Amino acid sequence: MLVREIMTSSPVTARRETPAREALGLLRDHHITALPVVTSAGRLCGVVAEIDLIRDRVLPDPRAHLRPAPPVTDEPPAYVEDVMSPVAVAVRDSAEVSVAVDIMAERGLKSLPVLDAEDLLVGVISRSDVADALARDDDTLDKELTTLLANLGHRDWRVVVANGSVTITGPATAKDRALAESAAATVAGVNRVRVAQSVPSNHRGVTSS
């Protein structure tokens, strides 16, 4: 499963000069927690997260204090460039989803910008994108993989899916087993693959006299 197969294409973005309040509105309207920041040429130059935009914008509530809190006189950051992280961790659209998941887990990120071979922003992959792919039901995975194998010329191979784990029965050679494993790994939602060699129909076992 590749990043480009489950990412959100044409992502919502911000520019350095985007007003901070406008960026907050984009996060709210699109139900996301971060925005890639791009140049006029569409190149990634940073990321602005929800926490970056809300920090320093909430006034202290006098009802929570015995004494009046001192007035806040500083203006909050006005533009995205004032609060964004100029160094963004990104992933290629041709990368495996497992790579993106590892990066998000290691760095505690909820999403990653996705770049193409020309370093242009082409999407965003989020934890929810991965969760949606993994939550696909077994019937859908069965039908998609069965169709894929049929298109590869193997209608006789049998597919069984249980909780995202796939068993393919039929491939007899090492080459066919490798093909079956590779095909199954491309289907979004498959989390394990097992290939079993079928017993020839004329096999009668061994008898003793």
Side-chain angles (χ1 to χ4, degrees), residues 18 44 65 75 81 179 204:
T18 300
L44 185 68
H65 304 275
E75 290 291 330
E81 66 181 352
L179 174 63
R204 300 180 183 278

Side-chain angles (χ1 to χ4, degrees), residues 14-162:
R15 300 277 289 275
R16 290 179 181 272
E17 63 272 20
T18 300
R21 288 196 67 187
E22 180 180 325
L24 278 170
L26 290 172
L27 293 178
R28 176 200 62 208
D29 294 343
H30 295 275
H31 307 288
I32 53 179
T33 59
L35 291 169
V37 183
V38 296
T39 66
S40 58
R43 298 193 179 278
L44 185 68
C45 62
V47 170
V48 63
E50 197 172 46
I51 189 62
D52 300 323
L53 292 165
I54 65 175
R55 185 186 292 125
D56 300 327
R57 302 189 76 87
V58 181
L59 291 175
D61 191 324
R63 296 172 297 178
H65 304 275
L66 294 176
R67 296 180 179 178
V72 177
T73 56
D74 294 337
E75 290 291 330
Y79 299 99
V80 163
E81 66 181 352
D82 299 324
V83 294
M84 73 181 212
S85 299
V87 178
V89 180
V91 67
R92 296 287 181 186
D93 62 347
S94 57
E96 295 183 17
V97 172
S98 59
V99 172
V101 170
D102 287 345
I103 294 173
M104 286 189 280
E106 290 171 3
R107 296 177 177 265
L109 301 173
K110 293 183 178 180
S111 62
L112 287 172
V114 181
L115 307 179
D116 66 9
E118 304 299 324
D119 286 336
L120 295 176
L121 182 74
V122 291
V124 167
I125 184 169
S126 66
R127 295 180 190 177
S128 60
D129 291 327
V130 180
D132 288 345
L134 294 177
R136 300 175 77 207
D137 63 82
D138 289 345
D139 286 344
T140 299
L141 301 183
D142 189 319
K143 291 175 183 176
E144 187 170 327
L145 184 52
T146 298
T147 299
L148 176 58
L149 294 176
N151 290 338
L152 292 173
H154 297 286
R155 296 180 180 275
D156 56 322
W157 291 357
R158 181 169 176 259
V159 175
V160 176
V161 185

